[in-house]
Amino acid sequence: MPLLFLMRLQHTPLPVRVVQPKEIRNVSVLVATGLIEAEISPLKPTDPYAASRMATVMRITEEGLAEIAKMGDLPKFAKTSMRFARGSRLMS
C-alpha cells in the first residue's frame, strides 16, 4: 500500500534507492499524487534475473508530510535500509 510505504520512507534517511517491483509501484503512485519526489529509471541488466527498474526517492513533499500527519501514529517499521559506498542506501 503506497501510504504505508510513505510512512516507511519517513523513517528512512533520504535519498534512498528502491529496486523491489512492488515498492517501485508504490513510488510511482506517490510521485503521481505529489507526495514524494523521486526518479524512476531503467537498470542495465547485469544478469538475466536483474531487476528491470530502480527508483531513487529524493524527498517527501509538504503534501506528503501533511498526509502522514493525517494518518496519525502507526506502528514503527523495522529499519530496512543498507548503507553502500558513497552514501547510497538500498531499501529492501
Side-chain angles (χ1 to χ4, degrees):
M1 167 177 250
L3 292 178
L4 292 178
F5 184 76
L6 179 64
M7 293 292 292
R8 258 180 72 199
L9 286 174
Q10 181 186 25
H11 300 287
T12 302
L14 300 176
V16 67
R17 291 184 182 162
V18 179
V19 294
Q20 297 296 319
K22 181 179 179 181
E23 291 182 344
I24 291 172
R25 283 190 297 275
N26 288 334
V27 169
S28 229
V29 170
L30 293 171
V31 167
T33 55
L35 301 180
I36 65 171
E37 288 182 6
E39 295 177 4
I40 301 173
S41 58
L43 285 177
K44 294 179 183 175
T46 55
D47 64 57
Y49 303 105
S52 60
R53 296 193 328 166
M54 174 183 72
T56 304
V57 179
M58 307 306 236
R59 72 179 194 97
I60 300 173
T61 64
E62 294 300 319
E63 294 83 4
L65 294 172
E67 192 64 35
I68 290 169
K70 284 185 209 174
M71 289 189 288
D73 293 329
L74 292 178
K76 290 189 177 183
F77 295 96
K79 189 172 182 176
T80 60
S81 64
M82 298 171 26
R83 293 201 178 268
F84 289 93
R86 298 184 183 167
S88 296
R89 286 174 294 283
L90 178 70
M91 287 187 79
S92 57

